[in-house]
Amino acid sequence: MQINLAQLWDRQPLKKASAPASRQVRWSRWLPIVVFAAFLAAWELVVRFADYPAYILPTPGQVARKFVWVLLDGTLLYHTGVTLLEMLGGLVLGVSVATVLGYALAKSVAVERALS
């Protein structure tokens, strides 16, 4: 059974006969934006009223400013490149070891007995 996500996203709620179609709000389109805005507002309120220091829980504005700063000065790009390089190195190492062990396991009865 396959689910078409586009059909689920575009599914319209049941319309009331008395409300004109032009006045209906398409909540399915606005809901993610409203939820994200509520999340940011709750985050800001928690930081302000709980009096957390910025090094434990910074405000959304501080996070946004720091993101823009590291994006513009190249730090984010550099560290993203390093992380991707480490990830690809781990992938190559893992695939190489798995291929060698899989081949040895398939061809050698002794290796199969030792690893099983």
Side-chain angles (χ1 to χ4, degrees):
M1 180 173 101
Q2 291 185 357
I3 297 174
N4 186 349
L5 295 177
Q7 287 177 345
L8 289 176
W9 183 260
D10 291 334
R11 184 177 293 169
Q12 298 295 322
L14 295 176
K15 296 180 180 180
K16 294 181 180 179
S18 62
S22 63
R23 291 171 49 197
Q24 288 189 347
V25 178
R26 299 188 78 185
W27 287 107
S28 63
R29 300 279 188 213
W30 289 100
L31 187 61
I33 296 168
V34 170
V35 168
F36 184 67
F39 169 74
L40 289 178
W43 179 4
E44 184 76 31
L45 290 173
V46 165
V47 171
R48 299 246 183 239
F49 291 120
D51 200 30
Y52 286 110
Y55 64 89
I56 292 180
L57 186 61
T59 64
Q62 290 172 328
V63 173
R65 279 190 296 280
K66 185 66 174 182
F67 174 74
V68 170
W69 178 260
V70 297
L71 184 65
L72 294 177
D73 76 354
T75 306
L76 183 64
L77 185 61
Y78 171 75
H79 289 290
T80 301
V82 169
T83 300
L84 287 174
L85 187 63
E86 291 173 348
M87 183 188 69
L88 288 175
L91 178 66
V92 167
L93 181 65
V95 167
S96 301
V97 169
T99 301
V100 170
L101 283 177
Y103 183 78
L105 191 62
K107 294 295 182 180
S108 172
V109 175
V111 173
E112 181 182 357
R113 284 186 192 144
L115 293 177
S116 295

